[in-house]
């Protein structure tokens, strides 16, 4: 099992997940909006199609951070 911290700029949840769970399913089950911003897995930017891969596909075995970060310009 994996201890995954899922979230965005305003909300974060820690979930215990099966390594064969897709990133998209984990985010949807945690009610995290992943449609805005840049998706990162342990600080690395995800590419198109990566959300349909499992945590095991990325070699995640214990814990990770899966975050959607919205970058905004400050005036």
């Amino acid at each position: 099992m994996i201890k995954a911290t899922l979230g965005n700029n305003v909300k974060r949840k820690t979930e215990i997940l099966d390594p064969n769970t897709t990133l998209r399913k984990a985010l949807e089950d945690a009610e995290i909006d992943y449609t805005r911003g840049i998706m990162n897995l342990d600080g690395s930017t995800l590419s198109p199609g990566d959300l349909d891969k499992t945590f095991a596909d990325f070699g995640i075995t214990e814990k990770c951070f899966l975050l959607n970060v919205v970058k905004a310009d400050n005036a």
Side-chain angles (χ1 to χ4, degrees):
M1 300 309 275
I2 298 168
K3 180 180 178 183
T5 301
L6 312 169
N8 55 29
N9 289 21
V10 295
K11 175 172 127 179
R12 291 196 180 170
K13 288 184 175 181
T14 299
E15 302 279 338
I16 303 299
L17 302 169
D18 183 283
N20 295 312
T21 305
T22 65
L23 304 184
R24 184 183 313 276
K25 175 138 178 54
L27 290 166
E28 288 173 351
D29 289 350
E31 299 179 353
I32 302 296
D33 182 9
Y34 55 85
T35 61
R36 297 180 177 107
I38 299 169
M39 287 302 308
N40 293 287
L41 178 61
D42 283 345
S44 296
T45 303
L46 296 176
S47 299
D50 283 349
L51 289 180
D52 294 317
K53 295 180 181 176
T54 66
F55 289 94
D57 291 337
F58 288 100
I60 304 296
T61 57
E62 291 184 31
K63 61 183 177 178
C64 67
F65 286 86
L66 179 59
L67 304 172
N68 182 279
V69 180
V70 178
K71 303 237 178 185
D73 291 334
N74 293 329

